[in-house]
Amino acid sequence: MSRHWLLAPFLALGIAAPSAALEVEGRYKATPEADCAGPDDAEGLIRIEDGIFSGIRSRCEMRNPVNVVGMNAQLFDMHCEGENETWTERALFMEGAEGGLILAWNGYAFRYERCPLPSEEPATEETRAEDASPEERPETATD
């Protein structure tokens, strides 16, 4: 009598619980001097939104995501255009150990720092005063 049927519940559990998709959408600094507050097409910024990778003089559709087992990573088929050329390649997107995004593409690996979301940016004196309760607001002189 075969005992392979004993493994069936364990195999089913492994198949029934795929890893969660990697969250890559956002803006990233392709260069250390890139300004996260700049417009989406600013030099040195990469933007990933709605399955589109934009920046570094190219635009790519991120198709056919495949979760990488045991890693917080996904493989994509990248269908790209830029500088009067079109091309298709595979790319690996992975969350960096220290945050940000690791991108492995055609034999090269890059680390991109994620730009903070507008709600995550540090408060200025002006925004702190606006957010303060009436009792906490500084008095202003009136003429």
Side-chain angles (χ1 to χ4, degrees):
M1 179 174 175
S2 174
R3 295 185 185 175
H4 295 291
W5 62 271
L6 291 172
L7 296 176
F10 298 105
L11 294 174
L13 286 175
I15 294 169
S19 61
L22 175 67
E23 179 55 51
V24 297
E25 290 206 355
R27 291 167 44 121
Y28 298 88
K29 294 171 73 170
T31 62
E33 56 277 345
D35 180 11
C36 285
D40 286 340
D41 61 351
E43 189 71 28
L45 283 182
I46 293 172
R47 186 179 80 171
I48 302 172
E49 185 175 14
D50 297 327
I52 304 292
F53 176 98
S54 304
I56 315 175
R57 297 179 298 280
S58 64
R59 180 183 183 279
C60 303
E61 292 181 27
M62 302 165 64
R63 298 181 186 172
N64 305 319
V66 176
N67 290 340
V68 179
V69 177
M71 302 171 69
N72 193 13
Q74 285 184 311
L75 283 168
F76 290 91
D77 293 330
M78 305 294 283
H79 295 261
C80 305
E81 58 184 42
E83 299 186 340
N84 299 318
E85 293 185 41
T86 60
W87 66 96
T88 302
E89 293 188 16
R90 299 275 281 166
L92 175 75
F93 289 74
M94 180 183 340
E95 184 177 327
E98 298 174 1
L101 177 70
I102 305 293
L103 174 57
W105 189 319
N106 196 23
Y108 296 95
F110 306 92
R111 183 184 179 283
Y112 300 119
E113 180 182 338
R114 184 185 288 267
C115 291
L117 297 173
S119 62
E120 296 174 343
E121 291 178 4
T124 62
E125 288 295 324
E126 185 177 306
T127 58
R128 278 194 287 268
E130 290 171 2
D131 293 340
S133 67
E135 300 82 36
E136 297 172 328
R137 290 188 185 141
E139 292 184 30
T140 57
T142 56
D143 293 294

